[in-house]
């Protein structure tokens, strides 16, 4: 058993676990419930996602990195200043009007 990822964001951990489950990588949680007040500092007992089979650890790490990158792209969503279309973070140009991300509205291709 090896520790894959720890975070105070339990929802993120559940999503990562579901993604790994889809890939037949068995995982489990430790510290799923936060400690009671005064027992230990919460940062020491953040929820953790562990892989059960050490031979799947490297593959599980790659899957988690891919998921985290995908989720960071969602956080970097943007709106086209030309046509106001809302776009996901991985796109560098607007599918609707072709406007390039970061380009001023007056600078057209």
């Amino acid at each position: 058993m090896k520790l894959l990822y720890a975070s105070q964001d339990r929802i993120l951990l559940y999503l990562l676990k579901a993604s790994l489950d889809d890939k037949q990588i068995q995982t489990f949680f430790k510290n799923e419930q936060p400690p009671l007040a005064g027992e230990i500092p919460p940062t020491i007992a953040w929820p953790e996602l562990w892989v059960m089979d050490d031979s799947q650890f490297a593959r599980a790490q790659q899957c988690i990195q891919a998921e985290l990158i995908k989720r960071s792209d969602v956080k970097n969503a943007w709106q086209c200043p030309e046509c106001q279309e809302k776009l996901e973070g991985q796109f560098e140009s607007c599918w609707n009007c072709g406007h390039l991300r970061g380009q001023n509205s007056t600078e057209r291709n």
Side-chain angles (χ1 to χ4, degrees):
M1 296 182 296
K2 290 187 177 184
L3 174 63
L4 282 170
Y5 196 77
S7 173
Q8 65 184 5
D9 184 351
R10 275 187 266 148
I11 293 171
L12 173 61
L13 288 176
Y14 292 132
L15 294 171
L16 293 174
K17 181 175 183 6
S19 176
L20 293 168
D21 288 346
D22 287 345
K23 294 168 179 64
Q24 284 74 47
I25 298 174
Q26 292 184 335
T27 58
F28 68 97
F29 291 112
K30 280 190 178 180
N31 304 331
E32 191 172 3
Q33 300 300 321
L36 297 174
E39 287 185 356
I40 56 174
T43 54
I44 293 175
W46 275 3
E48 300 170 340
L49 184 61
W50 288 67
V51 66
M52 294 182 78
D53 182 352
D54 290 356
S55 68
Q56 294 183 316
F57 182 73
R59 183 168 165 242
Q61 281 185 311
Q62 291 172 345
C63 293
I64 284 179
Q65 287 304 317
E67 282 295 320
L68 293 174
I69 289 168
K70 191 185 324 178
R71 295 191 185 290
S72 71
D73 286 343
V74 171
K75 290 180 186 174
N76 293 323
W78 60 287
Q79 186 170 9
C80 177
E82 194 71 29
C83 70
Q84 308 310 310
E85 185 67 33
K86 292 181 182 171
L87 301 142
E88 294 177 2
Q90 70 266 28
F91 299 111
E92 292 299 318
S93 64
C94 177
W95 69 268
N96 190 40
C97 72
H99 185 84
L100 294 176
R101 185 178 194 170
Q103 181 184 44
N104 293 331
S105 293
T106 56
E107 299 174 19
R108 292 296 298 193
N109 339 356

